[in-house]
Amino acid sequence: MIGLALPDTDHVARYCSPRRTENGLPHVAAFKPRVGEDYISVNWLEFFREGNTAANLKRVKAAVGKKLKLSRNGLFAILNVGAAKAAVTSAELRIEHMPMEDDPSHAGIYTNENLDIAVELRALSEIATLED
């Protein structure tokens, strides 16, 4: 599926359950596509146009919470689209809007399963907890 490419100035958030975190940080595996998928499922923060990251993240949490059980020990890893694309030079990285019926802010990071890419994305991510 090819969706609308997200602007480099925008951000995406990836929910990481407690089993995909350690010491308050996401595991590298959280930034690899799941088996059978060709993208990393994320949510486009600026889709909601709330004016600030905290308000947009609140809306993303509500959307993700409709599909997944959010644990209070889970976290969201936030990536700047342009920084992620600039950091990954070893392969093509596309970040596209892929709305779903129950999740209009859904997006995907298309890449291969290269461990180096997952490490780069993890290093670039900012962390937000469910309380943020």
Side-chain angles (χ1 to χ4, degrees):
M1 170 188 255
I2 295 181
L4 173 70
L6 300 187
D8 286 351
T9 55
D10 286 4
H11 301 81
V12 293
R14 169 107 168 127
Y15 175 67
C16 303
S17 68
R19 65 171 214 254
R20 289 184 166 252
T21 66
E22 185 174 348
N23 298 323
L25 297 172
H27 288 287
V28 170
F31 296 97
K32 293 181 77 177
R34 290 187 176 114
V35 174
E37 293 183 349
D38 59 350
Y39 64 90
I40 303 164
S41 185
V42 293
N43 287 78
W44 179 17
L45 286 180
E46 286 78 5
F47 172 82
F48 293 109
R49 304 177 199 270
E50 292 289 337
N52 64 63
T53 301
N56 288 333
L57 185 57
K58 184 176 181 178
R59 299 277 305 269
V60 163
K61 288 175 185 177
V64 173
K66 291 178 183 176
K67 299 184 299 185
L68 303 173
K69 181 180 180 194
L70 302 181
S71 168
R72 66 182 181 93
N73 294 326
L75 56 85
F76 281 84
I78 301 171
L79 291 167
N80 172 268
V81 172
K85 291 188 327 190
V88 176
T89 58
S90 61
E92 179 185 7
L93 184 96
R94 299 183 339 262
I95 304 177
E96 300 175 353
H97 186 210
M98 300 169 48
M100 299 177 140
E101 185 175 322
D102 62 340
D103 186 357
S105 67
H106 184 260
I109 299 175
Y110 285 85
T111 184
N112 59 28
E113 294 187 33
N114 184 319
L115 181 60
D116 293 338
I117 293 172
V119 169
E120 285 288 343
L121 294 177
R122 179 184 181 265
L124 287 171
S125 65
E126 297 177 30
I127 306 306
T129 65
L130 292 184
E131 286 83 36
D132 290 342

PDB file of all heavy atoms in Angstrom, residues 67-79:
ATOM      1  N   LYS A  67      -7.543  -0.046  19.884  1.00  0.00           N
ATOM      2  CA  LYS A  67      -7.089  -1.271  19.230  1.00  0.00           C
ATOM      3  C   LYS A  67      -6.259  -2.157  20.148  1.00  0.00           C
ATOM      4  O   LYS A  67      -6.279  -3.369  20.008  1.00  0.00           O
ATOM      5  CB  LYS A  67      -6.221  -0.925  18.013  1.00  0.00           C
ATOM      6  CG  LYS A  67      -6.888  -0.127  16.944  1.00  0.00           C
ATOM      7  CD  LYS A  67      -5.989   0.077  15.749  1.00  0.00           C
ATOM      8  CE  LYS A  67      -4.730   0.831  16.117  1.00  0.00           C
ATOM      9  NZ  LYS A  67      -3.883   1.153  14.973  1.00  0.00           N
ATOM     10  N   LEU A  68      -5.513  -1.546  21.038  1.00  0.00           N
ATOM     11  CA  LEU A  68      -4.590  -2.274  21.905  1.00  0.00           C
ATOM     12  C   LEU A  68      -4.860  -1.943  23.363  1.00  0.00           C
ATOM     13  O   LEU A  68      -5.311  -0.839  23.676  1.00  0.00           O
ATOM     14  CB  LEU A  68      -3.137  -1.867  21.598  1.00  0.00           C
ATOM     15  CG  LEU A  68      -2.615  -2.047  20.186  1.00  0.00           C
ATOM     16  CD1 LEU A  68      -1.235  -1.432  20.061  1.00  0.00           C
ATOM     17  CD2 LEU A  68      -2.576  -3.514  19.811  1.00  0.00           C
ATOM     18  N   LYS A  69      -4.530  -2.874  24.228  1.00  0.00           N
ATOM     19  CA  LYS A  69      -4.606  -2.585  25.653  1.00  0.00           C
ATOM     20  C   LYS A  69      -3.323  -1.840  26.026  1.00  0.00           C
ATOM     21  O   LYS A  69      -2.228  -2.383  25.909  1.00  0.00           O
ATOM     22  CB  LYS A  69      -4.727  -3.868  26.465  1.00  0.00           C
ATOM     23  CG  LYS A  69      -4.823  -3.593  27.936  1.00  0.00           C
ATOM     24  CD  LYS A  69      -4.953  -4.851  28.745  1.00  0.00           C
ATOM     25  CE  LYS A  69      -5.042  -4.449  30.210  1.00  0.00           C
ATOM     26  NZ  LYS A  69      -4.837  -5.559  31.089  1.00  0.00           N
ATOM     27  N   LEU A  70      -3.475  -0.598  26.447  1.00  0.00           N
ATOM     28  CA  LEU A  70      -2.316   0.207  26.828  1.00  0.00           C
ATOM     29  C   LEU A  70      -2.001  -0.029  28.301  1.00  0.00           C
ATOM     30  O   LEU A  70      -2.863   0.132  29.158  1.00  0.00           O
ATOM     31  CB  LEU A  70      -2.578   1.697  26.592  1.00  0.00           C
ATOM     32  CG  LEU A  70      -2.928   2.110  25.162  1.00  0.00           C
ATOM     33  CD1 LEU A  70      -3.126   3.617  25.082  1.00  0.00           C
ATOM     34  CD2 LEU A  70      -1.858   1.660  24.186  1.00  0.00           C
ATOM     35  N   SER A  71      -0.787  -0.395  28.564  1.00  0.00           N
ATOM     36  CA  SER A  71      -0.348  -0.622  29.936  1.00  0.00           C
ATOM     37  C   SER A  71       0.242   0.668  30.495  1.00  0.00           C
ATOM     38  O   SER A  71       0.913   1.419  29.782  1.00  0.00           O
ATOM     39  CB  SER A  71       0.723  -1.708  29.959  1.00  0.00           C
ATOM     40  OG  SER A  71       1.346  -1.765  31.217  1.00  0.00           O
ATOM     41  N   ARG A  72       0.018   0.912  31.776  1.00  0.00           N
ATOM     42  CA  ARG A  72       0.569   2.137  32.366  1.00  0.00           C
ATOM     43  C   ARG A  72       2.089   2.105  32.377  1.00  0.00           C
ATOM     44  O   ARG A  72       2.734   3.146  32.502  1.00  0.00           O
ATOM     45  CB  ARG A  72       0.003   2.390  33.754  1.00  0.00           C
ATOM     46  CG  ARG A  72       0.381   1.392  34.789  1.00  0.00           C
ATOM     47  CD  ARG A  72      -0.287   1.740  36.129  1.00  0.00           C
ATOM     48  NE  ARG A  72       0.079   0.799  37.142  1.00  0.00           N
ATOM     49  CZ  ARG A  72       1.104   0.965  37.972  1.00  0.00           C
ATOM     50  NH1 ARG A  72       1.823   2.057  37.919  1.00  0.00           N
ATOM     51  NH2 ARG A  72       1.389   0.040  38.864  1.00  0.00           N
ATOM     52  N   ASN A  73       2.683   0.926  32.204  1.00  0.00           N
ATOM     53  CA  ASN A  73       4.137   0.809  32.128  1.00  0.00           C
ATOM     54  C   ASN A  73       4.644   0.829  30.688  1.00  0.00           C
ATOM     55  O   ASN A  73       5.844   0.718  30.466  1.00  0.00           O
ATOM     56  CB  ASN A  73       4.613  -0.471  32.825  1.00  0.00           C
ATOM     57  CG  ASN A  73       4.347  -0.416  34.312  1.00  0.00           C
ATOM     58  OD1 ASN A  73       4.425   0.643  34.922  1.00  0.00           O
ATOM     59  ND2 ASN A  73       3.998  -1.550  34.886  1.00  0.00           N
ATOM     60  N   GLY A  74       3.732   0.956  29.737  1.00  0.00           N
ATOM     61  CA  GLY A  74       4.132   1.074  28.349  1.00  0.00           C
ATOM     62  C   GLY A  74       4.582   2.496  28.061  1.00  0.00           C
ATOM     63  O   GLY A  74       4.488   3.383  28.921  1.00  0.00           O
ATOM     64  N   LEU A  75       5.062   2.719  26.866  1.00  0.00           N
ATOM     65  CA  LEU A  75       5.495   4.068  26.494  1.00  0.00           C
ATOM     66  C   LEU A  75       5.306   4.288  25.006  1.00  0.00           C
ATOM     67  O   LEU A  75       5.056   3.361  24.250  1.00  0.00           O
ATOM     68  CB  LEU A  75       6.949   4.307  26.906  1.00  0.00           C
ATOM     69  CG  LEU A  75       8.022   3.339  26.401  1.00  0.00           C
ATOM     70  CD1 LEU A  75       8.528   3.731  25.022  1.00  0.00           C
ATOM     71  CD2 LEU A  75       9.180   3.321  27.376  1.00  0.00           C
ATOM     72  N   PHE A  76       5.389   5.535  24.617  1.00  0.00           N
ATOM     73  CA  PHE A  76       5.358   5.907  23.207  1.00  0.00           C
ATOM     74  C   PHE A  76       6.727   6.451  22.827  1.00  0.00           C
ATOM     75  O   PHE A  76       7.273   7.301  23.530  1.00  0.00           O
ATOM     76  CB  PHE A  76       4.282   6.969  22.936  1.00  0.00           C
ATOM     77  CG  PHE A  76       2.905   6.414  22.836  1.00  0.00           C
ATOM     78  CD1 PHE A  76       2.142   6.181  23.966  1.00  0.00           C
ATOM     79  CD2 PHE A  76       2.367   6.089  21.600  1.00  0.00           C
ATOM     80  CE1 PHE A  76       0.867   5.654  23.894  1.00  0.00           C
ATOM     81  CE2 PHE A  76       1.085   5.561  21.503  1.00  0.00           C
ATOM     82  CZ  PHE A  76       0.338   5.343  22.655  1.00  0.00           C
ATOM     83  N   ALA A  77       7.269   5.935  21.740  1.00  0.00           N
ATOM     84  CA  ALA A  77       8.518   6.447  21.182  1.00  0.00           C
ATOM     85  C   ALA A  77       8.126   7.406  20.063  1.00  0.00           C
ATOM     86  O   ALA A  77       7.362   7.047  19.173  1.00  0.00           O
ATOM     87  CB  ALA A  77       9.373   5.306  20.643  1.00  0.00           C
ATOM     88  N   ILE A  78       8.629   8.623  20.126  1.00  0.00           N
ATOM     89  CA  ILE A  78       8.266   9.659  19.157  1.00  0.00           C
ATOM     90  C   ILE A  78       9.463   9.946  18.266  1.00  0.00           C
ATOM     91  O   ILE A  78      10.573  10.163  18.752  1.00  0.00           O
ATOM     92  CB  ILE A  78       7.813  10.939  19.885  1.00  0.00           C
ATOM     93  CG1 ILE A  78       6.603  10.619  20.769  1.00  0.00           C
ATOM     94  CG2 ILE A  78       7.491  12.043  18.875  1.00  0.00           C
ATOM     95  CD1 ILE A  78       6.202  11.737  21.702  1.00  0.00           C
ATOM     96  N   LEU A  79       9.215   9.941  16.960  1.00  0.00           N
ATOM     97  CA  LEU A  79      10.270  10.196  15.972  1.00  0.00           C
ATOM     98  C   LEU A  79       9.898  11.365  15.083  1.00  0.00           C
ATOM     99  O   LEU A  79       8.761  11.469  14.626  1.00  0.00           O
ATOM    100  CB  LEU A  79      10.457   8.971  15.067  1.00  0.00           C
ATOM    101  CG  LEU A  79      11.044   7.721  15.677  1.00  0.00           C
ATOM    102  CD1 LEU A  79      10.853   6.549  14.727  1.00  0.00           C
ATOM    103  CD2 LEU A  79      12.522   7.928  15.963  1.00  0.00           C
TER     104      LEU A  79
END
